[in-house]
Amino acid sequence: MLEEVERWLADRSWSAADRPLDQLLDRKRAAGTTVSVVLPALDEEATVGAIVEVVRRELIEGLPVPLVDELVVVDSGSADRTAEVAAKAGARVVHRDEILPRLPALPGKGEVLWRSLLATRGDIVCFVDADLRDFSAAFVSGIVGPLLTDPDVHFVKAMYDRPLGDTPGQGGRVTELVARPLLNLHWPQLAGFVQPLGGEYAVRRSLLERLPFPVGYGVELGLLVDALHTVGLDALAQVDVGVRLHRHQDGQALGRMAAAIYRTAQVRLSRGHLVRPELTQFERGPEGFVPRTYPVDTEERPPMAGIEEYALRRVA
């Protein structure tokens, strides 16, 4: 791991408990900063209502200063009751096609996130996936916190455990098989992110509005890479919010995600890249996530037909 990344992990990786809610409210009041929470949603009636209710109950209502000023669900064409459930729970619901209607909408999560900038006004925009179960308000307050307390931080991603069913730590298969190798090999400054593809992150609007948005599954990787190039590593951070439970995709869906993420990386690689034959992964220890760095096998053997001993054996 680069020394720069080791230092970054020590300086820019926190826990949600590091910034109590009352501290965040004081900073928010003093600075007059506004916060928008956006949930991109497609057929999420089973979970979106509970998420909205938690945000409203714990981060808006009953506080001397609401931490969240806007709570918006952007529905990208749900066939179920997603919009109805979200509105009943207290969110403002906007349909993707109602935002910037002069441009026909393209399918994909990134399209929804991009359009949400036109549907919100907050100085800080916090994205939260709408399929989370057992949702905690720390998913919002934790990642918004550094943006309220540190003016040098512009982009904050959540980090968490991702169990697969009853198996701990085995979720995030596309992250481990595609995104993490790509980042370690081509953007090693980003090797310290535990969940580079996670859908929960908070960003200053002043940065978001300067970044291109891949319209599909590659949006998280694209935004992270472009943020690095735009504001530098020290403006990026991550916060541990515990455990993320959500609906897992089947193998074919994961393949589509992987392809989109690879294509997103491919486009950005045209800008130039640095290859480092190492891969950093993370394990949770008693005091948080611990990085483990392993060499990547980069050597190749030539075709056996060109090996002298093999050719001699065939003659014999």
Side-chain angles (χ1 to χ4, degrees), residues 136-303:
S136 165
F139 273 73
V140 173
S141 60
I143 58 178
V144 167
L147 298 171
L148 293 173
T149 59
D150 190 335
D152 294 328
V153 175
H154 292 260
F155 189 119
V156 183
K157 295 214 67 149
M159 57 176 167
Y160 32 65
D161 290 317
R162 294 184 68 179
L164 181 62
D166 296 327
T167 306
Q170 295 301 308
R173 290 162 287 175
V174 176
T175 293
E176 297 303 328
L177 296 176
V178 181
R180 199 179 308 285
L182 281 172
L183 292 175
N184 275 259
L185 292 172
H186 300 297
W187 296 282
Q189 286 178 297
L190 298 175
F193 277 94
V194 176
Q195 297 292 350
L197 298 185
E200 291 69 48
Y201 47 104
V203 192
R204 296 193 191 278
R205 179 178 293 271
S206 58
L207 173 59
L208 277 176
E209 63 192 15
R210 299 160 59 193
L211 301 179
F213 278 63
V215 299
Y217 288 123
V219 63
E220 271 81 31
L221 184 136
L223 290 176
L224 190 59
V225 169
D226 291 340
L228 173 68
H229 287 294
T230 304
V231 294
L233 181 61
D234 283 342
L236 314 181
Q238 59 185 349
V239 174
D240 187 350
V241 297
V243 179
R244 186 185 197 266
L245 301 175
H246 66 110
R247 183 186 70 252
H248 290 281
Q249 304 281 356
D250 61 29
Q252 289 188 331
L254 294 179
R256 293 189 295 272
M257 293 174 64
I261 290 162
Y262 179 81
R263 175 57 179 164
T264 300
Q266 187 180 46
V267 170
R268 281 149 181 80
L269 286 174
S270 64
R271 305 169 183 166
H273 63 281
L274 171 67
V275 174
R276 290 181 59 85
E278 293 180 336
L279 173 69
T280 299
Q281 297 177 316
F282 292 85
E283 300 172 5
R284 183 181 280 281
E287 299 181 356
F289 288 97
V290 179
R292 307 290 189 199
T293 300
Y294 304 90
V296 174
D297 294 331
T298 56
E299 297 294 326
E300 295 185 15
R301 296 296 188 187

Side-chain angles (χ1 to χ4, degrees), residues 28 33-40 55 67-74 92 99 109-129 139-148 153-158 198-211 213 219-220 223 237:
K28 184 175 186 293
T33 306
T34 54
V35 177
S36 299
V37 172
V38 173
L39 278 69
V55 174
L67 185 71
V68 173
D69 300 281
E70 279 187 309
L71 178 53
V72 179
V73 171
V74 182
R92 176 163 64 90
I99 308 169
K109 178 184 179 182
E111 176 85 354
V112 175
L113 300 184
W114 178 66
R115 289 177 182 254
S116 76
L117 297 183
L118 278 169
T120 58
R121 295 183 176 276
D123 303 312
I124 295 169
V125 182
C126 177
F127 298 119
V128 176
D129 281 349
F139 273 73
V140 173
S141 60
I143 58 178
V144 167
L147 298 171
L148 293 173
V153 175
H154 292 260
F155 189 119
V156 183
K157 295 214 67 149
E200 291 69 48
Y201 47 104
V203 192
R204 296 193 191 278
R205 179 178 293 271
S206 58
L207 173 59
L208 277 176
E209 63 192 15
R210 299 160 59 193
L211 301 179
F213 278 63
V219 63
E220 271 81 31
L223 290 176

Side-chain angles (χ1 to χ4, degrees), residues 61-112:
E61 299 170 351
L63 297 177
V65 178
L67 185 71
V68 173
D69 300 281
E70 279 187 309
L71 178 53
V72 179
V73 171
V74 182
D75 186 1
S76 57
S78 297
D80 65 3
R81 298 173 54 249
T82 291
E84 177 186 345
V85 170
K88 185 176 180 180
R92 176 163 64 90
V93 179
V94 183
H95 195 281
R96 174 200 61 194
D97 297 346
E98 297 172 352
I99 308 169
L100 200 60
R102 70 175 179 82
L103 293 180
L106 297 171
K109 178 184 179 182
E111 176 85 354
V112 175

